[in-house]
Amino acid sequence: MHTPALPLLFSLLALQLAGQDAPPAENPLRLKSLLELLNTPVITATRWATSQDEAPATMFVLEAREIRQMGALSLPDLLRSLPGLDVQRAWDGEVIVGSRGLATLNNAKLLVLVDGRRVNLDYNGGVRWRELPIFLDEIDRIEVSLSPLSALYGASSFGGMIHIVTKRPDARPRFQARALLGEKENQQYQLGFATTQGAVSYSLSAGWARSEGYGNRHPSEVREEVLGPDNRTVSGAGKFKDGWERGRMTLGMDVESLWGGNLQVRLGAVSGDVSTPYLNSTALKISNNPVPSRNAFAWGAYSWRLSDRNEARFVASSTQWWDRGTVQPFTTRNQSAEFQVFSSLGDHQLTSGVDAERTTGEAPELVGGRVTESLTALYLQDNYRLSHVTINAGLRYDKHTDLAGRISPRAAMVWSFGKGHSLRAGYGTAFRKPSIQESYLQSIPVGNPATTGIVLGEVPAEGTRRAERISAAQLDYTAQAGEAWLFRLNLFRNTVRDLITLRKVQPYPPYQFAVIYDNQHDFRISGAEAEARWAPQGPVNGFLNLSYQNLEELTAPTTDRLGVPRWKGNLGITFHFPADVNGSVILHRVGSHTPQFGQADPQGQLHFMAIRPATTLDVKLFQVRALRRLKLEYGVQALNLFDREHLEFPIFDGNAPYFGYSATFNYSAEQRRWYENRNALNDRVASIYCSARF
């Protein structure tokens, strides 16, 4: 799509919308009232349905109507608007989502669930957001906890969690078709079908999408400041190509009253190619590196009533990933089973369970080429509800292969007082086990060992690996003002111990040096999130949120460190006008920060690029028309409407931070701009779309 066409498209759509008749009164896009916001149910914090205001964790929720009104092409586009989350792009196929400062490349600090099933990649612990077998219009709600929840979910819920809950098959349209076309060759096509026959409901969705990625187009116009030298001489105008192409399919089935219980089954698969930077290349900063990858999952849950106050649930899943590329190809398989019991004893809501898991990873660069890990866990949580106070306490024990047993406690109290006022206080500990890559990587170089280096996973003492640890304290206040305003203030203080970063050991016979994943970084993050929501009984809702996080190093930082903005904020409105005109306008502001990776000069001084503040604007405008049983939806949307060039998560030259440095640093300003341009994102994506459903 050419840029001059955008104003014309907006104008034509506005003229078309102005002359339409209003559809029937009942509409799922109706904006929520303040009372509905306060009573939004969540299940993540306790696994019981609890209002967001009474949940024993710092929670934020995006529901289906908000998701539909926001201009988004992917899940991270939606999450960018929430306080406390850091959303950064390394390249179009690699988006980093962290919470409260815990954001790193291949981020493994945040647990992500889809319908209770973990979707973090077993190989490195991160999340491939572009490769999840899920469509945005299948989502019922997204629940985000900024509180670590290892006491209930175990190792991966280190910095909190994101729980994506999809719509039941019987809540989906019988038939749906959707198409989207946009800039940078963005294309999305989707077909969906759902039906209910007696006690059985089915749903099937299939789709295909592609993008050429963001790219860099105007190197001479990039003016970001660089702190310290970079170690490569740039020749030629390298094009940042990070495109991707994926097909996905999901299948769901719900059966009620089966042998006295309810059965849920979900199946899904994704297949395609993702071009990523070749980080180990010394000849080219960023090159096309198509990585064919596939993943598939099968998940099932059966629940039944043991008595009027007791319910049991058995959950089993199997997930497999295949990555076939020139850099670290791998295969992982994960099988898990969990037995849960929910008991109501007077004012007590008890959640208990047993969890077991087995993971196998295969890759040429792993020790022995194949590793197997296992997990067993027990947990118990009590949610004690009184008239104005709710006390929550939980404890979980995890035993992983090659990791000492971990006990994760957590306690929280919620006090509701006055009309619409509540105070939440909590404290807990959480942990993250090293990923397969961090534990067993053994990348042996080609060439003379005396002049090259080896990359290794953890080299533990006495065969026992250490987990990353976090102690988290929080204090939240929620207040209702009048009939239209809601205010939230969240304070937190997290202390992180034994964070895994890369350490260079030189010499490392017979190699010149070794780069080792090591638990060597301690730090403290303190901060706050403030949110104001305006929800009158009218056609427009608004929100404003601000996030602040301050990192205090407790150990000397290395060339691998946390790099997130200290300040970020979002300002937005969503609207639902007569004639079913809907949409949103959302402004994002991200403060200055330094990236994760830096470089040491010959004197050992560390240098990091300075990433300046950036402001982006997302807009969506659409209409829904009812033609008998058929509903048409069509609209326009644009992410980063004004196409500001900015850096979010610079791609580093793989040899610069860890594999040596140049003896000369007399690079010109123009050469430094070239360096920046190879990381700069021109990330406006304007698009038009249409969908039909009945």
Side-chain angles (χ1 to χ4, degrees):
M1 182 186 300
H2 297 293
T3 302
L6 292 177
L8 178 60
L9 282 172
F10 277 101
S11 301
L12 290 176
L13 182 63
L15 290 174
Q16 173 69 13
L17 299 181
Q20 302 299 337
D21 296 328
E26 293 186 9
N27 194 303
L29 290 167
R30 178 186 62 83
L31 300 183
K32 271 194 167 187
S33 67
L34 185 63
L35 183 61
E36 290 174 306
L37 289 174
L38 286 168
N39 293 322
T40 299
V42 294
I43 60 173
T44 301
T46 62
R47 294 190 176 176
W48 293 76
T50 307
S51 70
Q52 181 182 351
D53 191 43
E54 295 180 351
T58 305
M59 300 290 302
F60 294 97
V61 181
L62 284 175
E63 294 190 286
R65 71 188 74 198
E66 296 173 286
I67 294 171
R68 195 170 168 188
Q69 286 174 318
M70 297 169 65
L73 296 176
S74 64
L75 281 161
D77 295 335
L78 298 170
L79 300 173
R80 190 182 292 274
S81 297
L82 295 179
L85 290 183
D86 300 298
V87 180
Q88 301 174 322
R89 297 187 189 277
W91 53 91
D92 194 28
E94 178 69 41
V95 185
I96 300 156
V97 181
S99 64
R100 291 180 168 173
L102 293 170
T104 60
L105 188 67
N106 294 325
N107 183 68
K109 316 295 190 242
L110 193 66
L111 175 63
V112 180
L113 304 179
V114 176
D115 294 327
R117 178 181 63 87
R118 181 167 59 88
V119 297
N120 296 71
L121 190 63
D122 291 304
Y123 187 73
N124 59 27
V127 177
R128 299 270 190 87
W129 294 98
R130 291 291 191 191
E131 301 176 53
L132 296 184
I134 188 171
F135 299 93
L136 294 186
D137 54 17
E138 292 181 323
I139 300 174
D140 180 65
R141 66 187 184 279
I142 302 174
E143 301 180 6
V144 177
S145 169
L146 301 181
S147 304
L149 295 176
S150 282
L152 196 56
Y153 295 94
S156 298
S157 184
F158 182 79
M161 61 184 294
I162 297 173
H163 191 181
I164 303 162
V165 182
T166 63
K167 298 174 182 176
R168 293 171 52 92
D170 57 7
R172 302 184 185 189
R174 182 176 178 83
F175 174 80
Q176 178 176 350
R178 188 176 191 273
L180 178 144
L181 298 173
E183 289 184 302
K184 301 179 176 64
E185 294 299 320
N186 270 273
Q187 301 177 50
Q188 294 183 5
Y189 305 100
Q190 178 189 347
L191 290 174
F193 174 77
T195 185
T196 299
Q197 298 178 355
V200 183
S201 300
Y202 303 92
S203 67
L204 173 66
S205 295
W208 176 84
R210 76 174 303 274
S211 171
E212 72 167 4
Y214 291 120
N216 53 352
R217 295 174 294 189
H218 306 293
S220 63
E221 297 177 6
V222 181
R223 291 291 188 270
E224 305 296 335
E225 180 185 2
V226 174
L227 299 182
D230 74 84
N231 75 332
R232 61 172 288 107
T233 301
V234 178
S235 60
K239 174 68 174 176
F240 184 177
K241 292 294 291 183
D242 60 340
W244 54 272
E245 181 177 323
R246 311 216 62 79
R248 55 172 58 92
M249 178 182 295
T250 62
L251 173 66
M253 181 181 70
D254 288 0
V255 184
E256 297 183 359
S257 302
L258 177 66
W259 305 313
N262 298 323
L263 174 68
Q264 291 179 294
V265 176
R266 302 289 185 267
L267 306 173
V270 175
S271 180
D273 293 344
V274 178
S275 289
T276 65
Y278 186 19
L279 301 181
N280 292 335
S281 171
T282 59
L284 185 62
K285 171 72 173 179
I286 293 177
S287 61
N288 292 341
N289 178 34
V291 178
S293 65
R294 306 189 303 276
N295 72 81
F297 78 92
W299 176 90
Y302 182 75
S303 58
W304 67 97
R305 303 288 300 183
L306 300 175
S307 65
D308 291 340
R309 291 179 171 269
N310 297 278
E311 180 177 336
R313 193 168 188 247
F314 178 75
V315 183
S317 70
S318 178
T319 304
Q320 181 151 346
W321 284 79
W322 301 266
D323 265 44
R324 293 294 177 263
T326 58
V327 180
Q328 292 187 9
F330 65 86
T331 300
T332 60
R333 289 180 294 275
N334 177 279
Q335 290 84 36
S336 66
E338 186 172 1
F339 181 71
Q340 306 166 353
V341 177
F342 305 91
S343 303
S344 179
L345 302 175
D347 295 321
H348 295 267
Q349 293 178 327
L350 298 176
T351 304
S352 57
V354 180
D355 194 0
E357 185 176 311
R358 180 182 176 87
T359 303
T360 301
E362 298 180 25
E365 294 193 326
L366 295 180
V367 176
R370 176 188 173 98
V371 297
T372 300
E373 297 184 322
S374 62
L375 157 74
T376 54
L378 301 169
Y379 60 87
L380 174 64
Q381 179 177 268
D382 181 14
N383 202 52
Y384 181 41
R385 306 182 65 177
L386 299 174
S387 58
H388 298 289
V389 176
T390 301
I391 299 174
N392 181 276
L395 188 69
R396 175 170 168 136
Y397 174 79
D398 286 82
K399 181 63 181 75
H400 289 265
T401 304
D402 294 337
L403 195 66
R406 298 292 307 179
I407 296 178
S408 303
R410 188 172 185 275
M413 181 189 72
V414 181
W415 175 33
S416 301
F417 58 96
K419 181 181 178 181
H421 293 260
S422 65
L423 190 67
R424 179 189 298 108
Y427 179 82
T429 66
F431 75 103
R432 186 186 76 85
K433 74 176 185 69
S435 67
I436 291 176
Q437 182 184 47
E438 291 167 331
S439 296
Y440 304 105
L441 183 66
Q442 183 176 275
S443 181
I444 301 175
V446 177
N448 183 2
T451 59
T452 57
I454 186 172
V455 184
L456 299 172
E458 281 192 293
V459 182
E462 300 178 359
T464 301
R465 290 176 168 83
R466 287 189 295 164
E468 296 179 341
R469 300 174 291 143
I470 187 172
S471 300
Q474 67 180 54
L475 181 65
D476 304 341
Y477 174 63
T478 301
Q480 177 184 351
E483 300 298 324
W485 288 94
L486 179 67
F487 298 95
R488 291 191 178 100
L489 176 64
N490 310 321
L491 306 176
F492 69 91
R493 184 179 178 89
N494 296 338
T495 301
V496 178
R497 303 285 184 182
D498 298 332
L499 189 78
I500 297 175
T501 54
L502 292 170
R503 175 171 61 94
K504 185 175 181 180
V505 180
Q506 189 173 6
Y508 194 85
Y511 302 98
Q512 182 185 28
F513 63 90
V515 176
I516 301 173
Y517 286 96
D518 194 12
N519 301 76
Q520 61 175 327
H521 200 180
D522 299 343
F523 57 90
R524 183 177 293 114
I525 301 178
S526 303
E529 297 101 24
E531 181 186 42
R533 297 192 65 130
W534 179 56
Q537 294 291 331
V540 179
N541 281 7
F543 68 88
L544 168 67
N545 59 64
L546 297 172
S547 302
Y548 169 79
Q549 51 208 12
N550 180 59
L551 187 147
E552 177 187 356
E553 302 283 357
L554 302 180
T555 56
T558 68
T559 53
D560 181 359
R561 51 171 286 179
L562 294 179
V564 292
R566 181 171 292 188
W567 288 96
K568 66 180 288 285
N570 302 286
L571 173 65
I573 62 169
T574 57
F575 50 84
H576 173 63
F577 293 136
D580 227 347
V581 179
N582 306 273
S584 62
V585 179
I586 302 176
L587 185 73
H588 309 281
R589 174 69 173 178
V590 179
S592 62
H593 64 287
T594 57
Q596 177 181 350
F597 300 100
Q599 178 185 333
D601 62 21
Q603 288 72 43
Q605 182 179 356
L606 294 177
H607 300 274
F608 292 86
M609 177 185 289
I611 302 178
R612 293 181 177 178
T615 302
T616 58
L617 182 68
D618 299 343
V619 176
K620 184 175 183 178
L621 182 64
F622 68 100
Q623 185 184 36
V624 179
R625 291 293 311 278
L627 302 175
R628 296 186 178 181
R629 296 182 61 186
L630 180 67
K631 286 191 175 181
L632 293 176
E633 178 178 322
Y634 49 89
V636 295
Q637 65 183 49
L639 301 176
N640 192 10
L641 179 63
F642 299 114
D643 197 21
R644 177 188 172 100
E645 295 179 348
H646 64 281
L647 298 166
E648 286 194 324
F649 198 102
I651 304 305
F652 64 97
D653 185 337
N655 284 345
Y658 310 118
F659 299 90
Y661 45 76
S662 171
T664 60
F665 297 95
N666 55 340
Y667 295 113
S668 66
E670 181 181 1
Q671 288 172 326
R672 294 184 183 184
R673 285 197 298 272
W674 277 105
Y675 174 86
E676 297 160 358
N677 180 68
R678 288 174 178 264
N679 297 291
L681 303 180
N682 296 269
D683 59 359
R684 183 191 62 208
V685 180
S687 55
I688 59 175
Y689 75 94
C690 181
S691 68
R693 64 181 70 187
F694 63 82

